[in-house]
Amino acid sequence: QVFTFNSVEIRAEPSAKVKNGAPMSIICHADISKSANFHLQHNITIFKDGKLVYMIVSDKEVARYEVPIARSADTGDYECTVKADGKTKSSKSLHVWVTGMTKPILTAEKREVLEGEVVKLRCELPEEVPPLQFLFRKTKTNSTPKEKLVFEAYRNFSTVEFSVEEGDNILYFDCFGKRFVKHANFELESSEPSNRTLVTVKEPFIKPSLIIKSTSNITEGDRIEFECSTVVARMRDIEIILQKNKTILNSVRDEKLLKYSAVATLEDSGEYLCKVEQGRASKTTKLNVVVAELFPKPILSASMSKLDENKELTLSCSISGFRKANFSILRRNSNGDILLKNSRNLTMRVNVNDTGSYICKAEVKGIVKESKPVRISVYAPVSKPSLSVVSGLPEVVLGKPLQLICRLMVGTPPITFTFYKGNEVKKVVINDTYATFLDENIRQNDKRGYKCDARNNHSSGVKTSNILNITVIVPIRNASLGSIPYGDVEDGSGTAFLCSVEEGSWPIHFKIFKKTDHDTLLYEKTESTDRIVWHKETMSRQDTGTYYCMVSNRAKVNVKSHPITINVILASWQKGVIAAFVLILIVGAITLTVWWFLCKKKKGK
């Protein structure tokens, strides 16, 4: 009894694309070849998206999975597997698409609500499988529907709340369901709309009324009275608020009438808003108010805005086309304005401390208005400036920048400082008490002196410093060391060392060293010259070695010469003594040899 699977096939009837609600069949067929006509049991299983949905054991080679009413949840990938006598064969995957969705069911918690409350809705797709999207819509007459989209990953229903706003009266609600469809490249498929639910809205209170009880023509100084009222169905938690430019002027709770009064000023012109609130409900009424000007703002004038100390200053306050007013002149202060005089005019002799801002105020019928501030600047004359070098001494190293500072002991800022090199203006600086100047163009033979002047708005004019002359220090260049005699020196004789520089400002500090493990200082001296000579009276064999000199000046740069070598040799008399001694030794040796020869000859005879 031999058999083999030729193929296992799966198909859907009437097709792989089925309308929602229609019947559907998934058919699995095994094509088997047998060596003889013998009985064979088949275990047939059908899977959807990898999950078992149907299984049968039969001697037939065909199995049929019936779906009486297809829903979108039946959309998926189907596959069947056939097992027989230890052999297994599976079909290819078949994607079945159930188009369309069931109609959603919408329910509202209440069918009648008040303004400010919320409508709670529930939308359900009873035969659909999540994940799903739910689109809720709120529609009122002659307006664009408001929508809310909710994603549900694990439920086939969703809930949402819509607030009931002012002006809502008859509202209609419905909802849609949506799902992702794999067969359509994961596009969204929508259901038909749900049942339409009607919700009626009642007003908890009417739109407020805002009126002015006083005369319609309001002028500064008049008393202005506002009344804001409404009619409410339920007094509890009712609140009335009066605002202007978002500023709350007055409010009442659990009452249906608000009153507010004030003395009118020009700033009270504008839009007023009366708002009634209860829970989430809110209604508003606006009223535009115009307040006529009683008198214009006063104008403060000064005899001078910039003046010298100890001069007279006159301040005058006036109102254009209006004379009967109570005037006062004040000085601005961070801790509160300082009253100077209750008068239209003020004359005073000023000092530097009177610098500041001044205003005047005018009062008519209880209305007080303030002028624009007037700035008064009082100047003390500048003192004679002093010019100096920032580093201290009036000198600079050639090639280095020179920084100067010009200072004042007295003078009201702002002060204009001017720096000169010779008669040439180099820099102008505006500052309070000092200014600096950096000269980076220093030359060796530049003989021009520096000066600075200072001036401010005082009538005394410009003050100039004394001329500052600067010493330019030339750094040491090319130090050299020589000796007389040079090279070989006889033991016991003297040697003159000459250390010199090619260029450098005096005084110059000279040092002569002999090279050792730690370099021995032999001689040092400071001179206002470009060379020094050091005489070493007696040289010995220990003085043989290498010598150099180190030179510096106020530029504070050490310059080292090339080294020279001194070799101390024997003196002439020392050489004569050695020669005589050697000669005596030679004569003695010859004499001894002759004597020995004569003695030997005598013995032979």
Side-chain angles (χ1 to χ4, degrees), residues 248-428:
I248 296 176
L249 303 177
N250 195 15
S251 67
V252 294
R253 291 184 67 88
D254 299 332
E255 294 182 23
K256 57 184 178 180
L257 175 64
L258 174 147
K259 293 184 178 182
Y260 173 75
S261 66
V263 176
T265 65
L266 203 61
E267 288 74 22
D268 291 326
S269 294
E271 189 177 74
Y272 289 77
L273 183 141
C274 177
K275 180 185 288 186
V276 180
E277 295 178 337
Q278 189 177 48
R280 296 190 181 190
S282 173
K283 295 187 179 185
T284 60
T285 298
K286 296 179 181 179
L287 178 65
N288 195 52
V289 175
V290 178
V291 179
E293 188 177 57
L294 179 63
F295 64 97
K297 285 185 177 182
I299 298 171
L300 180 64
S301 58
S303 57
M304 300 174 70
S305 61
K306 296 179 180 179
L307 65 164
D308 297 348
E309 60 181 354
N310 296 321
K311 295 282 187 178
E312 274 195 356
L313 171 68
T314 300
L315 300 173
S316 299
C317 190
S318 61
I319 301 174
S320 177
F322 206 95
R323 295 192 60 83
K324 292 183 179 180
N326 296 321
F327 295 95
S328 56
I329 298 177
L330 306 92
R331 181 181 172 184
R332 283 269 193 239
N333 188 278
S334 58
N335 297 322
D337 297 341
I338 301 171
L339 176 65
L340 301 178
K341 191 176 182 180
N342 285 318
S343 174
R344 179 191 296 270
N345 300 310
L346 170 65
T347 300
M348 61 181 184
R349 193 168 294 277
V350 296
N351 58 46
V352 174
N353 294 329
D354 292 320
T355 294
S357 295
Y358 293 79
I359 60 167
C360 76
K361 292 183 179 181
E363 184 263 330
V364 178
K365 291 177 61 176
I367 301 298
V368 178
K369 294 189 178 182
E370 184 179 292
S371 70
K372 290 182 179 180
V374 174
R375 178 74 183 176
I376 302 297
S377 299
V378 182
Y379 292 91
V382 295
S383 59
K384 182 178 180 178
S386 65
L387 182 64
S388 60
V389 180
V390 172
S391 60
L393 295 175
E395 59 186 29
V396 62
V397 177
L398 183 66
K400 300 288 185 180
L402 172 67
Q403 188 169 29
L404 303 176
I405 183 167
C406 186
R407 290 189 181 93
L408 286 180
M409 296 298 294
V410 180
T412 304
I415 298 167
T416 301
F417 295 88
T418 305
F419 290 88
Y420 298 86
K421 187 174 183 180
N423 294 320
E424 181 185 356
V425 176
K426 286 295 187 180
K427 189 178 181 182
V428 177

Side-chain angles (χ1 to χ4, degrees), residues 505-547:
S505 295
W506 300 348
I508 300 174
H509 189 62
F510 298 89
K511 292 181 181 178
I512 298 177
F513 293 87
K514 181 186 178 187
K515 276 195 172 182
T516 59
D517 290 341
H518 300 289
D519 287 9
T520 304
L521 175 64
L522 303 176
Y523 178 79
E524 67 175 320
K525 192 173 185 181
T526 301
E527 289 285 353
S528 294
T529 180
D530 59 359
R531 66 193 62 207
I532 61 148
V533 177
W534 173 49
H535 294 276
K536 183 170 175 58
E537 299 297 337
T538 305
M539 299 290 285
S540 64
R541 296 298 296 273
Q542 287 78 15
D543 293 323
T544 295
T546 302
Y547 295 79

